[in-house]
């Protein structure tokens, strides 16, 4: 009997990507994993409402409420993740930096969605609306989104999936952001969540199988 | 009466992009411009056969047959372009470097096709098969092609059009190159040639109109 991958979703804001994951789980498109925890790094994140509405446990963990340093902040997150038995951590618009202390603890167990076709418009300083501003300023006609594993290099981990989205005449960073969300992020992220959950589920089963031999 | 943009196509090898332009002209998809000259920087370029078969004048201009320096090479090309009355220069797999002396002479009159989604995998050292090798090594799932104006920065001029192409499991640089050609380059380049030809045709008409006022 395979036991589902336990997914924690880390969020900072409105949580539209979280909603896409919740909806996919309800539809059965995510069937190898189960969202067991939402962590927000702001008590005002609307994502917390979305978690509540879906009956998913949620925690607010901020630097401020955990001792004030990056170390205590990450330690509090690790504690919450361990307590929830999380196997897979999904960064779904999570705008805090995570250090190597955190990321090295979860090799190929953290995935992130970036609103551009990596290696374009990625790395330090490229997040949120700034990514779309940069794409428009450069004048690209095609952009998109990328789901990738998280390692110690910002936006530098192995790519899992990408989807292209056309830039249209008259686009603003806001209209482009919206189109990339609708046409790429909300499709790619649930799909990648299922793919990675499936892999982790099998790995867990193999480990258990090994113990029983 | 509008007079068509006079197009020169610069090539180095097989000339499949040249063929795409010739075919588009035959079909009437390029109607604002007319290919009046093909220049190859190698006497062995199969593109020369394609030009001949289409009844388009072709010249072989190499560093060797023009005095041995970049300056004499570019001067010979400029002479040939001037004699043909070229308004638009299309680099269609032209693997020689062009200096500012050349590019500054034709602002927004030189276009190039690059087999990647600029700003990914572009700039010095990224040409031909190397572009696709780099994309596969990086692990991108989406690549494509870009048509852009040529200025003094390698692959740095304004983007005219881009088209995305999926990378597939098992792709080699060769299979990926072929797919990017078929699904992007041969579609994008003729379309961009028409768009830019149309702009130049109108500019020429306005200049003539101005003289007559």
């Amino acid at each position: 009997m395979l036991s589902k991958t336990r997914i924690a979703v880390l969020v900072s804001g409105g949580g539209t990507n979280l909603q896409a994951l919740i909806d996919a789980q309800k539809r059965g498109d995510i069937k190898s994993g189960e969202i067991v925890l939402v962590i927000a790094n702001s008590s005002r994140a609307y994502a917390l409402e979305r978690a509540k509405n879906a009956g998913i446990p949620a925690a607010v963990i901020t630097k401020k409420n955990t001792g004030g340093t990056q170390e205590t902040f990450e330690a509090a997150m690790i504690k919450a993740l361990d307590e929830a038995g999380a196997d897979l951590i999904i960064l779904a618009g999570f705008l805090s930096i995570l250090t190597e202390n955190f990321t090295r603890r979860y090799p190929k167990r953290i995935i992130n969605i970036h609103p551009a076709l990596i290696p374009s418009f990625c790395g330090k300083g490229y997040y949120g609306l700034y990514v779309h501003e940069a794409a428009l300023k450069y004048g690209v006609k095609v952009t998109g989104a990328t789901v990738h594993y998280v390692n110690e290099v910002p936006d530098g981990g192995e790519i899992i999936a990408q989807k292209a989205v056309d830039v249209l005449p008259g686009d603003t960073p806001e209209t482009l952001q919206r189109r990339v969300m609708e046409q790429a992020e909300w499709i790619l992220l649930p799909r990648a969540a299922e793919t990675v959950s499936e892999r982790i589920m099998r790995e867990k089963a193999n480990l258990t199988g090994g113990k029983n031999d």
Side-chain angles (χ1 to χ4, degrees), chain A:
Chain A
M1 176 61 189
L2 298 177
S3 73
K4 286 189 179 187
T5 294
R6 297 175 66 79
I7 302 172
V9 184
L10 275 51
V11 294
S12 294
T16 52
N17 269 317
L18 169 64
Q19 192 64 53
L21 291 166
I22 291 170
D23 294 346
Q25 182 170 292
K26 277 188 191 157
R27 280 196 312 270
D29 289 345
I30 298 177
K31 55 182 193 293
S32 306
E34 187 186 355
I35 306 169
V36 296
L37 177 65
V38 168
I39 298 179
N41 67 348
S42 160
S43 59
R44 296 184 307 262
Y46 184 69
L48 292 165
E49 286 300 311
R50 297 182 191 270
K52 198 179 156 194
N53 291 339
I56 299 166
V60 176
I61 300 180
T62 68
K63 231 180 234 180
K64 219 171 166 183
N65 76 11
T66 55
T69 71
Q70 184 68 23
E71 209 180 331
T72 55
F73 172 59
E74 290 185 357
M77 286 211 290
I78 290 166
K79 188 164 174 284
L81 292 164
D82 282 355
E83 283 172 7
D87 304 305
L88 170 60
I89 300 161
I90 300 181
L91 310 185
F94 183 69
L95 300 182
S96 274
I97 283 174
L98 296 168
T99 69
E100 292 179 38
N101 287 334
F102 186 92
T103 58
R104 289 211 170 143
R105 203 179 168 95
Y106 307 101
K108 293 195 86 170
R109 297 290 177 111
I110 313 176
I111 69 176
N112 180 49
I113 182 135
H114 183 76
L117 292 176
I118 290 175
S120 289
F121 312 117
C122 67
K124 227 181 150 183
Y126 285 106
Y127 60 90
L129 213 52
Y130 294 124
V131 177
H132 304 290
E133 275 179 23
L136 288 175
K137 196 175 171 194
Y138 200 101
V140 295
K141 309 298 181 187
V142 173
T143 184
T146 302
V147 180
H148 61 93
Y149 288 110
V150 173
N151 63 13
E152 63 282 6
V153 182
D155 296 327
E158 186 190 327
I159 293 171
I160 299 165
Q162 295 187 297
K163 197 166 186 303
V165 174
D166 285 339
V167 178
L168 299 183
D171 261 336
T172 63
E174 289 78 10
T175 61
L176 184 55
Q177 180 180 52
R178 184 75 194 178
R179 189 173 326 107
V180 169
M181 283 179 175
E182 287 176 357
Q183 295 183 7
E185 297 182 50
W186 301 341
I187 297 163
L188 272 189
L189 190 60
R191 207 182 282 169
E194 171 58 18
T195 305
V196 178
S197 289
E198 213 266 341
R199 195 244 315 148
I200 295 174
M201 185 173 71
R202 289 185 183 281
E203 282 175 10
K204 289 201 290 182
N206 287 341
L207 280 178
T208 315
K211 277 180 192 162
N212 290 344
D213 278 347

